[in-house]
């Protein structure tokens, strides 16, 4: 429906805009939209969590350190799920891959954030069945970047290199 006035500040509209920007690869615009939405949403609601998770996915590209801090700052009773951790790790690995061509230090730092989320995620949701595949995917990316710290941590999570 059309809002009579102030349509641009409607949080639901901003969340939609954020996810559109995210899928278009415009991560900075996505962060702005999600942050605008969060300002108008009550913490603890599913809508707030949805906007927060969108913001975190966008931050994977613009500010990976904040992305992991924000995710790890969500308590289990916020409604955050193992699948949300999966999504963020996947975005961080993709972001690391995108950065690898231009800035290997940034790429490695991004992989380290993915490892932090994997570690906490596996601890918080031990029964989730996708950790091993994610650990392998993250480990293979870390190996290709030569991220020694990340690889050591991933070995602790059960990563075995190669095929």
């Amino acid at each position: 429906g059309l809002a009579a006035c102030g349509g641009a500040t409607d949080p639901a509209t901003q969340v939609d805009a954020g996810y559109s920007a995210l899928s278009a690869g415009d991560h900075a615009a996505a962060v702005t939209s999600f942050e605008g939405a969060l300002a108008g949403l009550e913490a603890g609601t599913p809508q707030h969590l949805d906007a927060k998770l969108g913001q975190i996915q966008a931050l994977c590209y613009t500010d990976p350190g904040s992305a992991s801090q924000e995710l790890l700052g969500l308590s289990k009773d916020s409604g955050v799920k193992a699948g949300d951790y999966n999504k963020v790790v996947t975005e961080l690995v993709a972001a690391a891959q995108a950065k690898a061509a231009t800035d290997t230090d940034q790429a490695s730092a991004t992989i380290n954030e993915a490892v932090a989320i994997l570690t906490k995620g596996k601890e918080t949701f031990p029964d989730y069945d996708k950790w091993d595949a994610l650990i392998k995917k993250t480990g293979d990316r870390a190996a290709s970047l030569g991220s020694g710290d990340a690889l050591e941590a991933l070995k602790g999570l059960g990563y075995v290199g190669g095929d």
Side-chain angles (χ1 to χ4, degrees), residues 89-151:
V89 169
T90 302
E91 293 283 3
L92 284 166
V93 172
Q97 189 172 350
K99 286 175 181 162
T102 51
D103 190 339
T104 47
D105 289 348
Q106 271 287 305
S108 283
T110 303
I111 281 290
N112 287 337
E113 301 300 344
V115 172
I117 290 172
L118 276 170
T119 305
K120 176 76 191 275
K122 204 172 174 189
E123 214 172 88
T124 311
F125 304 100
D127 301 329
Y128 186 59
D129 62 357
K130 300 208 168 69
W131 292 131
D132 290 346
L134 268 179
I135 288 164
K136 172 142 181 49
K137 183 178 179 176
T138 307
D140 291 348
R141 175 60 47 206
S144 76
L145 290 167
S147 310
D149 296 349
L151 280 170

Side-chain angles (χ1 to χ4, degrees), residues 32 35 48-49 52 56 63 71 76 79 106-107 119 125 134 136 140 144 149 156:
T32 305
E35 284 174 354
H48 187 276
L49 181 63
K52 175 58 79 180
I56 291 167
D63 187 352
L71 184 69
K76 207 171 171 181
Q106 271 287 305
T119 305
F125 304 100
L134 268 179
K136 172 142 181 49
D140 291 348
S144 76
D149 296 349

Side-chain angles (χ1 to χ4, degrees), residues 19-80:
Y19 278 110
S20 295
L22 192 59
S23 59
D26 191 348
H27 304 111
V31 170
T32 305
S33 292
F34 288 123
E35 284 174 354
L38 286 165
L41 291 165
E42 198 182 328
T45 61
Q47 292 81 2
H48 187 276
L49 181 63
D50 186 38
K52 175 58 79 180
L53 291 167
Q55 175 200 24
I56 291 167
Q57 285 178 67
L59 284 169
C60 290
Y61 296 86
T62 61
D63 187 352
S66 292
S68 72
Q69 270 179 330
E70 292 281 348
L71 184 69
L72 299 178
L74 290 172
S75 63
K76 207 171 171 181
D77 59 19
S78 70
V80 69

